[in-house]
Amino acid sequence: MERNDQFQDKADGACQLHDVRFYNLLPRAIVCSSFGQSSRKLALARDDGTIEVWNMAYAPFLEKTIPGGEGVSIEGLAWAGQRLFSVSLAGTLIEWDLSKIPCVKQSILVTGNAAWCVDVSKDERLLAVGTEGGYINVYRLDNEELAYERILDKQEGRIVCCNFDWTGNFLVTGSTDAVRVWDVRNGHAVHKMTTGRAHNKQETTVWAVLVLKDFTILSADSRGKLVVYDGQMGTVLEQHLVSTADLLCLALNEEKNIVFVGGVEPIIRVFDRADSGGSVRTDKLFVRSHNRRGHTHDIKTLATYGRYLFSGGIDGSLLVTSSPPFTLDTHFPLLPGPASMVAADSRLVLLKYVNYLEVWTLGPASAPAPALGGNKVLQIRSKNDGHILAAAIAPNGRWIVYSTEHIVRLLRYDYNRKEPVNSRLVRVRNTPEHFAVCYRAQFTADSKGLFLYDRTGGGTINFFSCAAADDSEEWDHKQSIDAGRWLSEMVTLSAVSQCSRYLVCADLASSIVVFERTAAKWKRSISLPRYKLPPTALALQPGRTRVAVAFSDHKLFVYDFDQFAFVFSTYLRLPAGTDPNHPISGIAFDPRHESAMVLQNGSKIVTLRFGPDIEDEVLQQEETSRAKKWRPVTNGSEQQDGEGSLTKCKLRMVRDAPRLVSIEWLGESELVAIQANALSMVEHLPAAFRIKRYGKT
């Protein structure tokens, strides 16, 4: 569904808003996660085999994605410093190379068939993998190598979970009806603690174990019980009936005195340690303090960082909660950007899904508000249902390109606006040399140029040009831009100027480079000043040589790369009603005003105005407030990043657009806001856990 509305900004005037809600993304469950303390990154795996790496240092944002595939099932993740490991039901232990383009660094087949769990010792010296056959494979991590150490004694049944103690000499595992303590040095089991059963013929599965510093062991099982053990004696200390359904995951806070418990019931239970010096006096080791809510379905994984708790499950959303004071931030299961693209000249919208693309039309601007519009005119499914890494549509709507891990396709689309049924889609088979798989694709504004960002990791950007020849159009390879000389990491943001003369690229190492087209060649023009954090949004101002860049700590600047000077630089203090714990993920310069732009902050659309008049107005307000001996919350940077640049601005939240994917201007008075359809994310989920209460149906 598309809805044409208007929103009015007192300073910027009326604007036609295309409220696009026909992006029918499906929920992708989060099955496991791991937080790396040294890298401050969260790795999580989804049910389609995709691994996502999130940067959690400031406002969380998706940094890199490792595509999954049909039949790929990731069951465990673990960090060892900057190294990421995963295990799967295929029985493989994989170390991932996260430098530049993520790829497999090494892969090892473990003993015992399917691998169910993985853990790294606290000193990052050992790594253990639990398997279906009851074998525990132990590996040594030395000098960036992964060396086989030993296999512990075989046990009967699957090893579901494992966790090292704080010395790294002992390993605690959970399986059917038992929790075991293993001495890693000799490979033998030291203790076996049986869990008991709720019913005689129903096995109890231990889904998660956690080892505290004093060797107290906690387990969460299918009876809904949290059991506390003495790891040195191998005895049960206490039990807590937490839920009537399975408990699936455990997490410990940084101070080691609070335990978080999650499971099939979509509530996170919080237990405080009673002997940690608190005011509560009890004979129990752990007491229940409060609950945290936010999920709608099973919670399958928990991780902590400082005062923050990261949780994920069947509903696919990554929740970040903290207390006190209690805050809740939801990151919906959206695809990595750019997931949507507007073909401005043809008024078409390209939507990217996991393994197919859709092309929709936009309603006319002259339609009365509110009005409905938008029709699906094309669907393209990838070959062998491979995960689509990159896709783009030319502004004139004539060309569509997409790439998976193994193939790249260029398609010509002859869209018949009067009779869409008679539109034609033709695959271009005689593609030029260097037309290879890529992780990013982008057309120029005149639809005659195409950039493909090479996936081999060398940092090459291949540029192709379209030329008419004998009543046909052919694409030729014009240049391989050696961008790796200046961009050491993976390019995550890029923009092409309206005149098709400039290309701006930004990578995760905070390098921002401007390439200029001179004659028939692209050459590096300038590298912008490097900031300490990677950028989260980038945009070029139409008709000007200005680029706006936002970072995860809400730093934003506008730089004129022709004048080699900052035009505007500030740290944003977002207004009330916005999402301060979300980054600025989209920037769109207002074509009607030189010093105005629209920002995407989580699910909020925010307008920003700057300039000499705004600077004087805000400074005057600050002087007035000092005279009255109180200081208002104003937007501005206390430190000057660019000599002579403006630092004051005015922000205004103008629209709440739940599950906002992207914002983009269409002409001078139309703004397209693409949102994921909330209904499609819910209707395909399984039934949620329900507790029957007396007197209620």
Side-chain angles (χ1 to χ4, degrees):
M1 181 182 72
E2 178 201 348
R3 186 181 179 90
N4 286 0
D5 290 330
Q6 283 189 342
F7 66 80
Q8 179 79 27
D9 189 17
K10 294 178 181 178
D12 299 339
C15 170
Q16 192 81 18
L17 176 67
H18 293 269
D19 201 2
V20 175
R21 300 180 187 176
F22 44 64
Y23 192 11
N24 301 314
L25 282 175
L26 299 180
R28 297 177 300 137
I30 298 174
V31 294
C32 59
S33 67
S34 176
F35 183 77
Q37 293 289 342
S38 60
S39 61
R40 292 196 289 183
K41 294 178 182 178
L42 177 73
L44 59 88
R46 298 194 179 270
D47 58 359
D48 60 357
T50 299
I51 299 176
E52 298 177 356
V53 179
W54 289 70
N55 189 319
M56 314 302 283
Y58 290 88
F61 69 95
L62 179 58
E63 194 173 88
K64 291 185 178 182
T65 301
I66 302 171
E70 188 69 28
V72 179
S73 178
I74 305 296
E75 295 298 325
L77 294 166
W79 288 94
Q82 303 288 336
R83 304 168 69 184
L84 177 63
F85 298 89
S86 71
V87 294
S88 69
L89 295 185
T92 55
L93 168 66
I94 296 177
E95 180 181 358
W96 296 96
D97 184 356
L98 297 179
S99 61
K100 292 190 177 181
I101 313 301
C103 61
V104 176
K105 186 175 182 180
Q106 55 181 322
S107 178
I108 298 175
L109 280 174
V110 299
T111 301
N113 299 322
W116 283 99
C117 57
V118 62
D119 191 47
V120 173
S121 61
K122 306 298 185 293
D123 56 7
E124 298 178 350
R125 178 174 50 90
L126 297 174
L127 180 144
V129 179
T131 62
E132 175 75 24
Y135 292 97
I136 301 172
N137 298 253
V138 180
Y139 299 88
R140 180 170 295 277
L141 304 173
D142 284 332
N143 302 321
E144 297 298 317
E145 296 293 331
L146 182 63
Y148 171 79
E149 181 76 5
R150 64 162 46 91
I151 292 179
L152 307 189
D153 292 346
K154 183 182 183 300
Q155 71 160 52
E156 291 297 324
R158 167 195 309 170
I159 297 173
V160 180
C161 54
C162 62
N163 190 229
F164 276 98
D165 79 322
W166 287 76
T167 64
N169 295 327
F170 297 92
L171 181 72
V172 179
T173 63
S175 55
T176 302
D177 292 328
V179 173
R180 291 178 173 85
V181 180
W182 302 82
D183 190 330
V184 180
R185 294 166 294 186
N186 57 32
H188 303 313
V190 179
H191 299 296
K192 176 184 177 181
M193 293 90 80
T194 56
T195 59
R197 296 185 176 185
H199 305 284
N200 287 335
K201 295 184 179 180
Q202 185 177 353
E203 295 178 338
T204 297
T205 302
V206 179
W207 292 113
V209 290
L210 193 63
V211 185
L212 306 187
K213 203 165 187 177
D214 60 355
F215 219 156
T216 300
I217 300 171
L218 293 94
S219 72
D221 58 42
S222 57
R223 300 172 299 168
K225 285 188 176 182
L226 175 68
V227 185
V228 183
Y229 304 91
D230 184 334
Q232 296 177 342
M233 302 297 296
T235 57
V236 177
L237 297 177
E238 63 187 42
Q239 299 186 37
H240 299 268
L241 182 59
V242 180
S243 173
T244 57
D246 294 41
L247 300 182
L248 302 176
C249 50
L250 296 169
L252 185 68
N253 73 329
E254 205 168 66
E255 287 74 25
K256 320 303 178 191
N257 59 357
I258 297 177
V259 175
F260 304 96
V261 186
V264 172
E265 195 174 349
I267 302 172
I268 299 173
R269 266 76 179 211
V270 183
F271 285 80
D272 290 346
R273 184 147 189 174
D275 60 352
S276 60
S279 58
V280 179
R281 292 291 180 263
T282 175
D283 57 348
K284 294 284 188 181
L285 282 175
F286 290 90
V287 292
R288 185 183 300 185
S289 61
H290 63 279
N291 298 335
R292 295 188 184 182
R293 302 173 186 266
H295 287 281
T296 60
H297 289 71
D298 307 15
I299 301 169
K300 303 199 72 173
T301 180
L302 296 170
T304 60
Y305 167 51
R307 57 189 289 265
Y308 297 103
L309 172 68
F310 312 125
S311 58
I314 297 295
D315 58 15
S317 296
L318 171 63
L319 263 60
V320 182
T321 57
S322 63
S323 177
F326 180 75
T327 60
L328 170 63
D329 295 291
T330 304
H331 300 269
F332 295 106
L334 307 177
L335 295 177
S340 61
M341 193 169 295
V342 177
D345 298 344
S346 56
R347 302 183 68 85
L348 296 175
V349 176
L350 176 72
L351 301 177
K352 183 181 76 172
Y353 293 83
V354 173
N355 56 4
Y356 65 95
L357 305 172
E358 287 183 352
V359 178
W360 289 69
T361 61
L362 288 173
S366 57
L372 299 178
N375 296 297
K376 185 169 76 171
V377 294
L378 181 64
Q379 179 172 313
I380 305 168
R381 186 166 290 275
S382 64
K383 185 177 180 180
N384 299 326
D385 284 337
H387 282 215
I388 296 176
L389 306 180
I393 185 171
N396 61 9
R398 186 169 174 80
W399 305 100
I400 297 173
V401 64
Y402 76 87
S403 175
T404 66
E405 278 191 286
H406 306 292
I407 61 104
V408 60
R409 290 286 186 267
L410 178 63
L411 308 167
R412 190 183 75 231
Y413 182 46
D414 298 323
Y415 174 56
N416 189 326
R417 185 171 295 276
K418 293 182 179 179
E419 297 179 356
V421 183
N422 296 328
S423 301
R424 284 199 319 151
L425 181 69
V426 180
R427 176 187 166 189
V428 179
R429 296 186 178 275
N430 56 338
T431 52
E433 188 183 5
H434 301 290
F435 203 88
V437 293
C438 61
Y439 66 90
R440 193 175 185 87
Q442 194 165 25
F443 284 94
T444 56
D446 58 8
S447 303
K448 295 181 180 179
L450 172 62
F451 298 97
L452 295 184
Y453 295 71
D454 190 60
R455 203 171 181 273
T456 56
T460 302
I461 303 175
N462 289 305
F463 177 67
F464 302 88
S465 179
C466 181
D470 299 329
D471 298 328
S472 64
E473 295 171 305
E474 292 185 358
W475 287 88
D476 294 322
H477 178 257
K478 293 296 183 182
Q479 185 182 357
S480 293
I481 307 171
D482 187 13
R485 293 175 55 189
W486 306 281
L487 299 164
S488 60
E489 256 285 3
M490 176 181 177
V491 175
T492 54
L493 301 168
S494 61
V496 181
S497 64
Q498 204 172 44
C499 61
S500 302
R501 181 182 171 187
Y502 298 103
L503 169 69
V504 182
C505 299
D507 68 1
L508 291 170
S510 303
S511 299
I512 304 171
V513 180
V514 179
F515 296 94
E516 183 179 3
R517 190 177 187 177
T518 57
K521 294 291 183 182
W522 290 88
K523 296 182 179 179
R524 185 188 74 97
S525 174
I526 182 178
S527 294
L528 271 64
R530 182 176 294 191
Y531 190 57
K532 62 182 179 181
L533 298 174
T536 58
L538 180 147
L540 274 169
Q541 186 169 13
R544 305 293 294 266
T545 55
R546 292 180 178 181
V547 58
V549 187
F551 300 87
S552 59
D553 62 348
H554 294 157
K555 167 76 174 177
L556 185 143
F557 67 70
V558 178
Y559 188 84
D560 192 320
F561 51 83
D562 188 43
Q563 300 295 325
F564 306 103
F566 285 96
V567 178
F568 170 70
S569 178
T570 190
Y571 286 91
L572 299 177
R573 297 176 182 175
L574 296 170
T578 55
D579 298 326
N581 294 327
H582 286 251
I584 302 298
S585 53
I587 302 174
F589 275 99
D590 192 334
R592 304 164 299 170
H593 300 276
E594 180 183 345
S595 302
M597 62 181 75
V598 181
L599 307 178
Q600 176 186 346
N601 168 233
S603 62
K604 306 297 189 295
I605 299 176
V606 182
T607 59
L608 181 147
R609 293 190 300 122
F610 65 94
D613 54 336
I614 301 296
E615 191 91 4
D616 295 340
E617 184 180 339
V618 174
L619 288 173
Q620 189 175 359
Q621 289 178 358
E622 290 181 353
E623 291 176 3
T624 305
S625 65
R626 289 193 193 98
K628 293 181 179 180
K629 296 184 179 180
W630 65 276
R631 190 173 183 178
V633 177
T634 58
N635 273 285
S637 172
E638 295 295 332
Q639 61 188 67
Q640 196 84 355
D641 283 351
E643 190 68 29
S645 66
L646 301 171
T647 62
K648 308 297 180 183
C649 65
K650 279 193 172 183
L651 289 170
R652 182 172 180 264
M653 201 272 280
V654 296
R655 189 83 172 187
D656 184 6
R659 296 170 178 82
L660 183 62
V661 176
S662 65
I663 54 173
E664 192 169 339
W665 282 97
L666 182 65
E668 292 197 355
S669 59
E670 298 174 72
L671 183 69
V672 181
I674 298 176
Q675 305 173 48
N677 188 350
L679 183 60
S680 68
M681 285 191 171
V682 175
E683 64 183 359
H684 293 90
L685 289 171
F689 178 78
R690 291 287 183 269
I691 300 177
K692 187 176 181 181
R693 300 188 184 280
Y694 180 75
K696 296 183 179 181
T697 57

